[in-house]
Amino acid sequence: MLSAAVAKSFAGFQLDVELNCEPGLTVLFGPSGAGKTLTLNSIAGLVRPDAGRILLGGEILFDAQRGVHLPARLRGVGYVFQNDAVFPHMTVEENLLFPLARMGAIERWRRCHALLEAFHLTPLASRDPRGLSGGEKQRVAIARALAASPRLLLLDEPARGLDAELRADLYWILGRVLEEYRIPILLVTHDRDESFRLGERLVIYRGGKIVQQGSAEAIFAAPRDAAVARLLGYGNVFPATIEHLDPGAGISRLRAGHVTLAVDYLPGRLRNDRVEFCIPPHAVRIGPAAENQVIADLVSEARLPSSVRLTFHIADLGDLDCEVSREKYAELGLSSSRRAALALPRAAIHVFEKGNA
């Protein structure tokens, strides 16, 4: 278990975060410059926080009040940097042997070759890393980070710069790591699809703070605010005014342009309050509805690997994205000039305070 509370002022930037990570993969997700890498560097011991406390498996790695700051080499932390940081003057085998210097010769050799085999690096053992592909270098870097059996693994954008095939290879390797090493793993990314594909748990960063954390599914189902919704790729975020509140029926109504929408009751709000609302593209339904029906014009379509992203324009509201399966798209028979009825299910609409963008 990793428990970290870290505050650090760095080059005019203020980081102030607190997170607890159990064994498994936790993704630190957010825009560049949000403080994700600074968090990793603080945990690894490469940066000394101004305040806070970091514990790993009950051992204190850092405690500002007690003046404890364990050196990086004694923390039992494996770290894979953005630029893979493979030693260019060593062969692949020598890279893996390097962190095993304190082991006996036989044990050291066995550990190294077990890693070479596990990460499909045996044919590359005598190679100069400068001649390896980006994906091969990342495999070497991850294997080396795991060589000394760390209690924690940190990965800073390991897929950065890799093409789709090499990313798939890397994701396979990470899957193997998760199966064989029940340790906390923190992975930094600002790639939304990657975060949802890999993360058992998601931590959303913005401006040096953690704004939401939990399972990827829970966060996507209920983003904390409009900014998180946009970060998750919702796109469908609109301003509105509260027009009606009915606590008895458990319903509120929003007015956005000429559109009136029923939403779940909004406790603590008043009529005429300005808010924002969003709805995920996959939740928008095409076809007549008894509630929250709007008429829209199809303006564009984009074919994705297993679905089609449709963009509709709603007068006085703006563009609304809708994502449907390829099969459903074929059934609809839509063309780029066709008008359609859309349904915005009440349960899928999230309402936020105005200004959380």
Side-chain angles (χ1 to χ4, degrees), residues 340-355:
L342 304 181
L344 310 184
R346 186 204 313 176
I349 297 175
H350 305 288
V351 181
F352 314 112
E353 295 287 348
K354 178 69 175 175

Side-chain angles (χ1 to χ4, degrees), residues 99-310:
L100 305 175
R102 295 184 180 182
M103 288 185 178
I106 295 177
E107 184 182 0
R108 190 170 176 238
W109 185 89
R110 284 177 177 170
R111 177 66 176 161
C112 172
H113 284 266
L115 286 166
L116 288 171
E117 183 176 349
F119 285 83
H120 297 178
L121 294 169
T122 302
L124 308 176
S126 61
R127 291 274 299 275
D128 181 332
R130 287 170 291 194
L132 302 181
S133 70
E136 290 167 341
K137 286 182 181 178
Q138 283 292 43
R139 273 191 277 153
V140 175
I142 294 172
R144 191 183 64 189
L146 291 168
S149 300
R151 297 178 295 163
L152 169 69
L153 179 62
L154 308 177
L155 304 166
D156 193 0
E157 297 195 60
R160 186 176 185 179
L162 301 183
D163 61 27
E165 184 177 355
L166 293 179
R167 278 175 179 257
D169 183 43
L170 174 65
Y171 297 159
W172 178 83
I173 289 294
L174 291 178
R176 289 284 305 275
V177 172
L178 284 168
E179 288 177 5
E180 297 182 21
Y181 298 84
R182 292 309 298 171
I183 59 175
I185 301 173
L186 271 63
L187 182 146
V188 161
T189 183
H190 59 263
D191 184 303
R192 182 197 64 182
D193 293 339
E194 185 170 285
S195 69
F196 279 93
R197 175 167 184 168
L198 298 177
E200 298 175 355
R201 185 165 174 270
L202 200 56
V203 179
I204 308 289
Y205 272 65
R206 185 171 71 234
K209 297 185 181 299
I210 293 172
V211 295
Q212 191 170 359
Q213 53 186 311
S215 71
E217 293 80 7
I219 291 176
F220 192 77
R224 176 179 179 270
D225 56 34
V228 172
R230 290 190 177 97
L231 191 62
L232 296 177
Y234 268 52
N236 299 331
V237 181
F238 306 99
T241 301
I242 297 176
E243 185 176 66
H244 180 70
L245 295 162
D246 187 346
I251 294 176
S252 298
R253 295 192 184 278
L254 305 181
R255 167 70 67 172
H258 75 282
V259 175
T260 299
L261 298 174
V263 298
D264 289 339
Y265 179 64
L266 303 170
R269 307 289 177 86
L270 300 173
R271 287 183 59 193
N272 298 320
D273 277 355
R274 298 177 64 194
V275 294
E276 289 182 293
F277 73 91
C278 76
I279 182 168
H282 70 268
V284 177
R285 301 287 179 258
I286 301 176
E291 183 180 60
N292 291 350
Q293 176 178 293
V294 296
I295 303 301
D297 295 304
L298 179 62
V299 294
S300 68
E301 53 194 75
R303 294 177 183 272
L304 305 176
S306 60
S307 62
V308 179
R309 176 67 66 94
L310 306 170

Side-chain angles (χ1 to χ4, degrees), residues 284-286 298-312 322-338 340 342:
V284 177
R285 301 287 179 258
I286 301 176
L298 179 62
V299 294
S300 68
E301 53 194 75
R303 294 177 183 272
L304 305 176
S306 60
S307 62
V308 179
R309 176 67 66 94
L310 306 170
T311 300
F312 292 89
C322 169
E323 191 166 323
V324 298
S325 67
R326 284 177 171 264
E327 293 78 10
K328 180 64 175 178
Y329 174 74
E331 291 175 10
L332 292 169
L334 293 169
S335 68
S336 59
S337 61
R338 184 161 179 181
L342 304 181

